[in-house]
Amino acid sequence: MSETIRLHIQFTGRVQGVGFRYKAQHLATSLNITGWVYNELDGTVSMEAQGSPKAIDTLINRLDSDTWIALESIHKQNLPIDTYERSFSIRY
């Protein structure tokens, strides 16, 4: 079994009002990534993503290649694994 990691990821750029959270949820689910995504009041998007490093990299790359999304910066921070989490959700 591949290594599992959990990251807190902060995205800046054109990330709100472009379907970012819905695309992230769809991609994460298809890549077997658990966690959540949330629009912050400052215009950024926060995400916690748990899965294989390769799957999380794929998620970020696919978000970055979206027509409507324009990522300016991505800040990642390692977090402890959540062994109870089973899905990827949009937080409101």
Side-chain angles (χ1 to χ4, degrees):
M1 187 171 182
S2 64
E3 172 191 15
T4 298
I5 62 169
R6 184 176 188 88
L7 296 175
H8 181 271
I9 310 167
Q10 192 80 23
F11 298 93
T12 64
R14 192 173 64 225
V15 294
Q16 289 194 15
V18 292
F20 185 99
R21 293 173 300 161
Y22 302 97
K23 176 140 189 159
Q25 183 184 39
H26 175 75
L27 289 170
T29 300
S30 71
L31 293 165
N32 294 315
I33 295 170
T34 63
W36 52 264
V37 62
Y38 177 76
N39 278 352
E40 298 289 351
L41 294 175
D42 64 3
T44 64
V45 172
S46 291
M47 177 188 293
E48 285 193 11
Q50 181 169 292
S52 74
K54 182 178 179 182
I56 293 172
D57 285 344
T58 299
L59 171 66
I60 293 168
N61 289 335
R62 288 187 185 167
L63 287 168
D64 195 24
S65 67
D66 184 85
T67 304
W68 305 107
I69 296 167
L71 298 180
E72 290 176 7
S73 70
I74 302 166
H75 181 263
K76 301 176 190 174
Q77 179 182 354
N78 290 311
L79 295 172
I81 299 296
D82 181 345
T83 56
Y84 298 103
E85 190 172 69
R86 296 290 178 255
S87 64
F88 191 95
S89 62
I90 296 171
R91 289 191 174 174
Y92 296 96

